[in-house]
Amino acid sequence: MIEKPLTAEDVDFVTTLHGEERISFVVLLQPRGDQADVLLRAIDDVAMGELKEAVREGEEPEGSEAREPAEIGLEYSLRALRQAGAEAVGQVVEEHPLDKLKTVVDDAGADEVIVLTAPHYVEEFFHRDWASRARHKVGVPVLKLFAHSE
């Protein structure tokens, strides 16, 4: 599960986690959330010392406006994983992402889930971040990794 397109460093990181073992990915990308998330993202930006990013949070596309950039980001990420030698399929998930994640884990017979995300201090403190919530839902180990910046 990712929030934004994978960087080259992210691809290298996730494709080498298991050494030479051949792996495949089912990538779920969730576009930016609704306006209620803007405040939490701004607080995270301030906590990271990224004041300019905090100010720009309101400018990011939300809801249906975020769909097209998410689809482009997903295709970019899938292509990068395939070029690194992994099998990769995926989809943009807008509603009930944890339910979709559970279905994908069950259908694919996944061994583990990787949540690749930016730090979200407020959600992490209250265990409301994707990885914490997924651990209670999917029935396989959940590995939380921090995504690299562009």
Side-chain angles (χ1 to χ4, degrees):
M1 180 173 265
I2 61 175
E3 299 174 313
K4 63 180 188 167
L6 299 174
T7 65
E9 292 88 358
D10 294 331
V11 170
D12 184 54
F13 193 36
V14 298
T15 57
T16 59
L17 279 173
H18 298 286
E20 298 297 316
E21 183 180 337
R22 180 121 173 108
I23 54 175
S24 61
F25 295 91
V26 178
V27 180
L28 302 180
L29 186 147
Q30 185 185 26
R32 303 285 297 233
D34 59 27
Q35 289 295 337
D37 295 335
V38 172
L39 178 59
L40 293 177
R41 291 192 310 258
I43 291 170
D44 286 337
D45 289 338
V46 170
M48 300 269 307
E50 297 174 355
L51 300 178
K52 289 181 182 178
E53 292 298 320
V55 172
R56 284 190 231 138
E57 283 297 342
E59 300 171 7
E60 291 291 325
E62 301 282 340
S64 62
E65 293 178 4
R67 177 74 189 200
E68 185 177 350
E71 289 173 352
I72 292 168
L74 176 64
E75 285 305 314
Y76 173 85
S77 299
L78 295 175
R79 189 171 44 252
L81 288 166
R82 290 175 190 138
Q83 288 173 345
E87 294 177 27
V89 296
Q91 67 185 69
V92 173
V93 179
E94 295 181 80
E95 296 185 17
H96 309 292
L98 292 175
D99 292 339
K100 182 61 179 178
L101 180 61
K102 172 72 172 145
T103 299
V104 167
V105 166
D106 292 344
D107 291 350
D111 296 325
E112 70 181 351
V113 168
I114 298 172
V115 176
L116 192 66
T117 179
H120 297 293
Y121 297 114
V122 175
E123 289 100 335
E124 289 171 22
F125 180 78
F126 292 106
H127 302 283
R128 300 302 301 156
D129 60 299
W130 288 121
S132 295
R133 292 168 57 199
R135 284 186 184 106
H136 299 285
K137 185 122 184 146
V138 298
V140 297
V142 175
L143 178 61
K144 179 179 181 175
L145 302 174
F146 290 118
H148 293 81
S149 298
E150 289 90 297

